[in-house]
Amino acid sequence: GALKTKMTDLHMHSTASDGTDSPKELLNKVQEAGITVFSLTDHDTIEGVEEIEPLIPKGLTFIRGIEFSCITKAGKCHILGYGYDKDNPLFLDNMGSYYLVVKHDSKKALRYYNKVLKKHPDDLTAIRNCILLARNDKDIKLEKRYLEMLSKYG
């Protein structure tokens, strides 16, 4: 039989990082171009993937992606990651750390750490980071909640 070709693009960026189209606009362009297999690989964030994934219609194959910015002895580089487990606590903890340390975005960092704590309520690093974030945001109620969690384990 004849080989059926599939249009594929495994390296795209949205406005969640340095792209020009929102995830929804990007999906429209993917469909217009006849692409049937694609991945969204924004720099150092999964925000675009979280937005686009629920919009994927039947007939399109979507692969979760991310492009990690790295610094090596040889210099800066980017590493593409595909098919990550969006519920893996270690992955979520690393995303939280990225937003806390690199982006200084306490709200996004807190969101990722809370996802970690849903899986592992005894994750002391996540609890401590949540305390720091609440303290930084001067949210006394939230800080107290995480201090009470910490006292259970520490």
Side-chain angles (χ1 to χ4, degrees):
L3 282 177
K4 186 174 179 180
T5 58
K6 291 187 177 199
M7 294 267 293
T8 302
D9 190 333
L10 297 178
H11 190 178
M12 298 180 184
H13 299 281
S14 74
T15 51
S17 67
D18 62 349
T20 56
D21 298 309
S22 72
K24 187 174 183 176
E25 293 166 335
L26 192 61
L27 178 59
N28 290 335
K29 287 186 175 184
V30 162
Q31 291 175 295
E32 288 169 10
I35 295 169
T36 56
V37 179
F38 75 105
S39 181
L40 179 55
T41 54
D42 282 317
H43 289 277
D44 304 306
T45 181
I46 60 172
E47 301 296 316
V49 169
E50 290 179 341
E51 186 178 327
I52 202 171
E53 200 165 31
L55 306 175
I56 305 297
K58 279 192 185 270
L60 282 185
T61 300
F62 178 70
I63 301 166
R64 287 185 200 117
I66 187 168
E67 186 168 354
F68 294 104
S69 299
C70 304
I71 299 173
T72 69
K73 289 179 183 176
K76 292 181 181 178
C77 69
H78 294 134
I79 298 174
L80 291 165
Y82 296 102
Y84 59 81
D85 176 0
K86 67 179 181 170
D87 297 318
N88 180 293
L90 185 57
F91 178 76
L92 293 168
D93 189 32
N94 280 302
M95 292 305 302
S97 297
Y98 171 75
Y99 282 108
L100 176 62
V101 175
V102 179
K103 290 293 188 180
H104 306 288
D105 186 334
S106 59
K107 291 195 184 336
K108 285 184 182 171
L110 190 62
R111 200 174 103 215
Y112 284 107
Y113 287 126
N114 277 319
K115 287 181 179 184
V116 172
L117 292 172
K118 282 182 185 166
K119 298 273 179 197
H120 294 283
D122 59 346
D123 187 316
L124 296 180
T125 302
I127 295 171
R128 287 183 185 120
N129 285 336
C130 287
I131 291 168
L132 291 173
L133 290 164
R135 191 171 292 159
N136 184 59
D137 290 345
K138 296 177 177 44
D139 189 333
I140 295 165
K141 277 180 146 176
L142 194 60
E143 182 180 350
K144 185 178 177 187
R145 191 176 106 208
Y146 289 116
L147 282 168
E148 286 170 359
M149 285 176 74
L150 184 63
S151 69
K152 289 180 192 175
Y153 304 107

